[in-house]
Amino acid sequence: MKKTIIFGAMAVAGMAAVSASAATLDDVKAKGELACGVNTGVVGFAAPDASGKWVGFDVDVCRAVAAAVLGDSNAVKYVPLTSKNRFTALASGEIDMLARNTTWTFSRDVDLKFTFVGVNYYDGQAFMVPKALGVTSAKELDGATVCIQTGTTTELNLADFFRSNGMSYEPVPLDTNAENQKNYLAGACDVYTTDASALASSRATFENPDDHVILPEIVSKEPLGPLVRHGDNQWGDIVRWTLNALIAAEELGVTSANLAEMSNGTNSPEINRLLGTEGSLGEMLGLSADWAKNALAVSGNYGEIFETHIGESTAIGLARGLNAQWINGGLIYSPPFR
Amino acid sequence: MSDLSYVRTEMLDEKDPPGGEAGIVTWIHKNLFPSIGSGILTVISIFLVYQLLAGILPWMFKSSWTASSLNECREAIHLAYGEGTEGACWSVINERYKQLLFGFYPSELYWRPILAFFLLFVAIAPVLFNKVPRKVLYFSAIYPFLAFWMVWGGSIWVPISAMLGLVVGYYASVILPAVIGSLGAIVAAMILPIVWWILLAGPVAGMLQGIVPISIESVGSDKLGGFTLSVLIGVVGIALSLPIGILLALGRQSPLFVVKIICVGFIEFIRGVPLITLLFVASTLLNYFMPPGTSFDLVLRVMIMVTLFASAYMAEVIRGGLAAIPKGQYEAADALGLDFWKATRLIIMPQALKISIPNIVSNFIGLFKDTTLVSIIGLLDPLGLTNAIRANQEWNGVVWELYAFVALLFFIVCFSMSRYSMYLERKLKTGH
């Protein structure tokens, strides 16, 4: 009897569904909100705060895109996704873009038919050991017991690293980061390995963070970035250039503090083109002229977003490192706005 | 003749039992140290319980309730109880209990799921206790639609037009037998409401909303989470799995070959796959079957899958009850001239269900606890939220406190269900 509630709602949902269309931009505008896939919870990158609002480094990419497309950074429907269902959610159209610390790899780009629009964080796998062990390099870890998360690329990278250096190790595989932290602290393993950013955030929560060191070796490349489906190049361009706008703004010195002033026009033609006072870049994307200004108004440029969520002023305390602008010796680089 | 008989005119006071039969010493002797072996076991048990409590209680009570991060918690505990003390950081519960209970539901609308939750008790009262006036059953019938409206909001005409589908089905089963025969009427009574829901319910609701706009703020499924989500999935699963399970159990015993094959196939298929597989189907595979662009709510998909899963198990539990009923009962029903449905409703089912109560309630409790599996497909139920809360730098590293709170929530609900089922068994006890 009571199954009506389900069928009724199902029918209504079916009615309300918008007709299929290749243009994601039109869909997003029609819905009035951007469906953005995020992590179910990774420190600094995506997490709900006490009031239920999503915050984080990846979340700000979603908000910037929503602001660029819809003019409202809050018009985002966050879809928390696990590493298992993130790709199907994107492929099936449940979400419009995925910003869920996803590593850009060949097979994901080519075989799964996604378009990675850029890299917003260059991560890599590292090792953490107790200082008391006196280890200073990962090359000295022969025979160590290692806490790892199962089912991730971490496990494979670890095997590769130890094999190529002719060392042996004993893995202690566990399912979640939280369990690994507990195990490592309880002394169940000598070494804890995962992405450097996650290690830094874990260490920051330890009772005595100074008793632990993160070894300098980075044993894998994990370029994390937002991605969209193959086949809608206009939408891919919008997400790509929104990310580029955040990056270029830092390089050009556009910050949330001087954004209003600069959007009245400056002496720099590139800033003017970026902020829409010169040229017609917004129009070429199918957006309003002030799209990049809206995106920057959300939480500032790339550097500001980095500092707010994961930078050295936060408890996580990540240095810019590879994620510094190219002019400062990092890899963060935006093609010109021309 | 003098009266030689002696009759006591007042009763003697009750005497204390002999010294060896009462008193605390005797109780201890009888229950704890009746023999040397038992005595040793008692001492060991007391020691273990003491060790356990000595570990847990100081941790529980040497705690901090008001800090705003794990590190502050530690400082506060060190300050209050001395350096090196390890205590619980209940501050995380203090800050996040609303989120654990309601997920992302807008805080100014918390009254809606709360009201729906309490109305649930009104709705199930006539089912649970037979002293409640029978008229409350009418409320029970409209409750699912009311609860749907309270939780998701939106136009009131959506649940009303969904309810009209039932009315369509009812009238089809009343009017049509005279026109197209009883088998045709049963089929029509099943198909017509579905046609109504798929083709007409939406437009009719839209039209009525156009004429008389009554609506409350709608809340999307992406806002559902925490314990509210568990309760929603659990209640829907429980409420639907029992009737569907009964139908499947009857269908499995049916002499009609096709009906029997369908029921057996369904039950065996569903029982042959783990729930988590079905949830993955709901969260990933179903998307590929839908026309592109269709947004078919994930929570709804999960509810359907959980219901199907629970129904198959429920069917087998009830089949066990049916099998336990002596053949004489069926024959007696036939002898009274009752048709199949009357015999089932009046004689077979009441007995079969009574026998099955412990198993049914076990199934309900199992189902309710299984709802935590949805955290694996990315829904933020209480367990999923513990991870999301830890993903805030302030609370990264808090593990036991969150799990303890979630365990407490589940224990309250499951324990209540279990106590109720014991009450029900006593109430329905008609055996010798």
Side-chain angles (χ1 to χ4, degrees):
Chain A
M1 295 289 266
K2 289 175 187 164
K3 70 184 143 197
T4 14
I5 182 169
I6 281 178
F7 284 125
M10 201 192 330
V12 173
M15 297 296 159
V18 284
S19 59
S21 146
T24 313
L25 177 61
D26 296 339
D27 284 351
V28 171
K29 281 184 172 164
K31 283 186 297 182
E33 64 177 10
L34 170 79
C36 192
V38 294
N39 203 302
T40 49
V42 156
V43 179
F45 286 83
D49 69 6
S51 59
K53 200 166 149 272
W54 285 85
V55 288
F57 188 69
D58 278 340
V59 170
D60 271 351
V61 175
C62 301
R63 299 181 63 205
V65 172
V69 173
L70 302 164
D72 177 6
S73 66
N74 292 322
V76 186
K77 179 184 166 194
Y78 297 103
V79 182
L81 295 167
T82 66
S83 55
K84 295 183 187 77
N85 62 8
R86 56 181 161 179
F87 294 125
T88 38
L90 182 60
S92 67
E94 195 180 331
I95 55 174
D96 304 311
M97 61 175 282
L98 182 66
R100 188 202 171 280
N101 47 351
T102 301
T103 307
W104 185 352
T105 67
F106 180 93
S107 59
R108 285 172 180 173
D109 198 333
V110 177
D111 193 33
L112 293 180
K113 300 201 168 24
F114 295 127
T115 302
F116 283 81
V117 300
V119 175
N120 66 343
Y121 189 84
Y122 288 94
D123 214 336
Q125 188 177 338
F127 299 95
M128 177 160 62
V129 293
K131 206 172 240 170
L133 227 55
V135 175
T136 53
S137 157
K139 301 252 165 71
E140 301 165 19
L141 290 176
D142 196 10
T145 48
V146 186
C147 279
I148 42 164
Q149 214 168 324
T150 50
T152 56
T153 46
T154 324
E155 222 173 341
L156 307 173
N157 295 333
L158 181 74
D160 287 358
F161 175 77
F162 275 81
R163 207 180 70 182
S164 58
N165 284 294
M167 303 190 294
S168 67
Y169 70 101
E170 195 185 323
V172 182
L174 277 168
D175 206 32
T176 65
N177 191 25
E179 286 172 82
N180 270 317
Q181 276 184 29
K182 285 270 165 201
N183 253 24
Y184 171 74
L185 284 177
C189 48
D190 310 321
V191 190
Y192 176 25
T193 180
T194 184
D195 287 349
S197 60
L199 281 184
S201 67
S202 294
R203 197 178 72 136
T205 67
F206 290 173
E207 206 155 357
N208 304 306
D210 295 335
D211 292 353
H212 304 269
V213 283
I214 295 173
L215 301 176
E217 282 87 355
I218 299 282
V219 300
S220 71
K221 287 187 288 187
E222 310 278 349
L224 312 178
L227 55 155
V228 297
R229 278 182 297 280
H230 262 187
D232 187 349
N233 294 338
Q234 189 202 6
W235 178 248
D237 287 343
I238 289 172
V239 181
R240 172 178 300 117
W241 285 95
T242 306
L243 179 62
N244 283 340
L246 299 178
I247 293 171
E250 188 190 12
E251 187 186 339
L252 298 170
V254 183
T255 65
S256 49
N258 63 15
L259 179 65
E261 182 194 327
M262 285 202 166
S263 53
N264 293 328
T266 63
N267 296 329
S268 155
E270 184 154 20
I271 295 179
N272 291 349
R273 284 193 296 271
L274 174 68
L275 297 179
T277 47
E278 238 179 83
S280 55
L281 297 184
E283 195 188 318
M284 291 179 203
L285 272 178
L287 301 176
S288 63
D290 58 357
W291 64 282
K293 186 189 154 199
N294 291 337
L296 286 164
V298 179
S299 27
N301 62 38
Y302 177 83
E304 290 175 86
I305 295 173
F306 193 100
E307 274 313 312
T308 316
H309 298 297
I310 51 181
E312 285 180 312
S313 61
T314 66
I316 306 169
L318 290 172
R320 285 294 288 268
L322 285 179
N323 298 294
Q325 289 282 340
W326 63 285
I327 40 175
N328 299 329
L331 291 174
I332 294 293
Y333 181 99
S334 160
F337 277 74
R338 182 172 290 282
Chain B
M1 208 160 72
S2 60
D3 186 4
L4 293 175
S5 69
Y6 171 75
V7 177
R8 190 186 284 282
T9 52
E10 77 283 354
M11 290 298 282
L12 273 177
D13 286 336
E14 275 183 22
K15 285 274 195 311
D16 287 336
E21 291 298 318
I24 183 139
V25 177
T26 317
W27 186 89
I28 289 177
H29 174 72
K30 268 192 177 166
N31 291 287
L32 301 181
F33 301 98
S35 68
I36 295 175
S38 306
I40 293 172
L41 284 180
T42 303
V43 171
I44 293 175
S45 309
I46 289 174
F47 178 72
L48 287 179
V49 170
Y50 169 77
Q51 285 291 321
L52 202 66
L53 292 181
I56 291 177
L57 289 181
W59 178 80
M60 274 180 77
F61 290 104
K62 287 185 178 176
S63 57
S64 165
W65 281 90
T66 49
S68 64
S69 75
L70 180 59
N71 288 330
E72 277 186 32
C73 254
R74 287 188 183 130
E75 279 169 28
I77 291 168
H78 288 174
L79 208 63
Y81 304 105
E83 201 64 31
T85 315
E86 284 208 32
C89 185
W90 299 117
S91 317
V92 64
I93 308 296
N94 194 15
E95 186 189 302
R96 296 298 182 110
Y97 73 95
K98 281 183 188 155
Q99 198 166 51
L100 284 165
L101 288 176
F102 296 102
F104 301 95
Y105 215 82
S107 55
E108 70 276 10
L109 300 177
Y110 279 168
W111 61 271
R112 275 166 40 183
I114 294 173
L115 184 63
F117 186 65
F118 282 107
L119 286 179
L120 170 68
F121 291 102
V122 179
I124 57 175
V127 187
L128 296 186
F129 305 104
N130 49 14
K131 287 189 189 123
V132 178
R134 294 292 96 184
K135 279 192 178 145
V136 181
L137 275 172
Y138 290 109
F139 178 76
S140 309
I142 62 165
Y143 174 77
F145 304 96
L146 184 67
F148 169 80
W149 188 56
M150 301 260 28
V151 172
W152 274 274
S155 163
I156 194 172
W157 299 110
V158 172
I160 287 183
S161 93
M163 209 160 26
L164 284 177
L166 280 189
V167 177
V168 169
Y170 174 75
Y171 279 104
S173 67
V174 172
I175 297 170
L176 287 182
V179 188
I180 53 173
S182 64
L183 185 64
I186 290 174
V187 173
M190 284 179 175
I191 290 176
L192 282 178
I194 294 173
V195 172
W196 166 267
W197 286 319
I198 291 177
L199 296 180
L200 291 170
V204 168
M207 198 181 71
L208 288 170
Q209 174 69 10
I211 301 168
V212 191
I214 304 174
S215 64
I216 54 177
E217 193 180 329
S218 80
V219 178
S221 288
D222 57 316
K223 302 281 181 218
L224 293 177
F227 205 55
T228 311
L229 182 67
S230 300
V231 171
L232 266 175
I233 297 175
V235 166
V236 169
I238 287 171
L240 294 178
S241 67
L242 189 59
I244 298 178
I246 291 175
L247 289 180
L248 284 171
L250 291 175
R252 190 166 187 164
Q253 297 193 324
S254 167
L256 302 172
F257 180 72
V258 178
V259 174
K260 184 174 176 170
I261 285 297
I262 291 175
C263 290
V264 171
F266 176 84
I267 292 170
E268 294 304 334
F269 172 73
I270 297 281
R271 292 208 308 161
V273 275
L275 176 57
I276 192 67
T277 317
L278 291 177
L279 291 178
F280 274 123
V281 167
S283 85
T284 58
L285 207 59
L286 273 186
N287 280 332
Y288 289 115
F289 293 127
M290 301 283 164
T294 317
S295 58
F296 180 20
D297 202 287
L298 178 61
V299 173
L300 220 51
R301 279 183 268 163
V302 166
M303 283 178 176
I304 293 173
M305 284 303 178
V306 168
T307 304
L308 292 181
F309 185 78
S311 305
Y313 279 84
M314 195 56 70
E316 287 300 281
V317 166
I318 290 166
R319 190 169 70 96
L322 289 174
I325 294 178
K327 197 156 171 270
Q329 296 287 328
Y330 290 89
E331 287 165 353
D334 288 343
L336 286 171
L338 299 176
D339 66 11
F340 172 77
W341 290 110
K342 274 192 179 144
T344 305
R345 190 161 58 85
L346 298 173
I347 293 181
I348 308 302
M349 265 307 149
Q351 300 185 65
L353 288 180
K354 194 187 83 187
I355 298 170
S356 317
I357 287 172
N359 283 334
I360 291 177
V361 175
S362 287
N363 251 21
F364 285 169
I365 291 175
L367 165 64
F368 185 66
K369 289 192 290 191
D370 279 352
T371 59
T372 52
L373 284 176
V374 299
S375 63
I376 297 177
I377 56 167
L379 287 177
L380 294 177
D381 80 318
L383 276 191
L385 272 175
T386 59
N387 184 42
I389 289 171
R390 265 197 302 275
N392 288 272
Q393 185 60 34
E394 303 91 68
W395 303 122
N396 190 0
V398 175
V399 180
W400 298 113
E401 293 84 346
L402 289 166
Y403 285 143
F405 182 70
V406 175
L408 177 71
L409 290 178
F410 275 90
F411 178 77
I412 292 172
V413 174
C414 295
F415 188 63
S416 317
M417 279 201 262
S418 145
R419 300 309 294 187
Y420 170 73
S421 87
M422 288 165 83
Y423 157 82
L424 196 62
E425 273 172 61
R426 276 197 305 277
K427 189 180 86 176
L428 296 180
K429 197 170 180 187
T430 51
H432 310 290

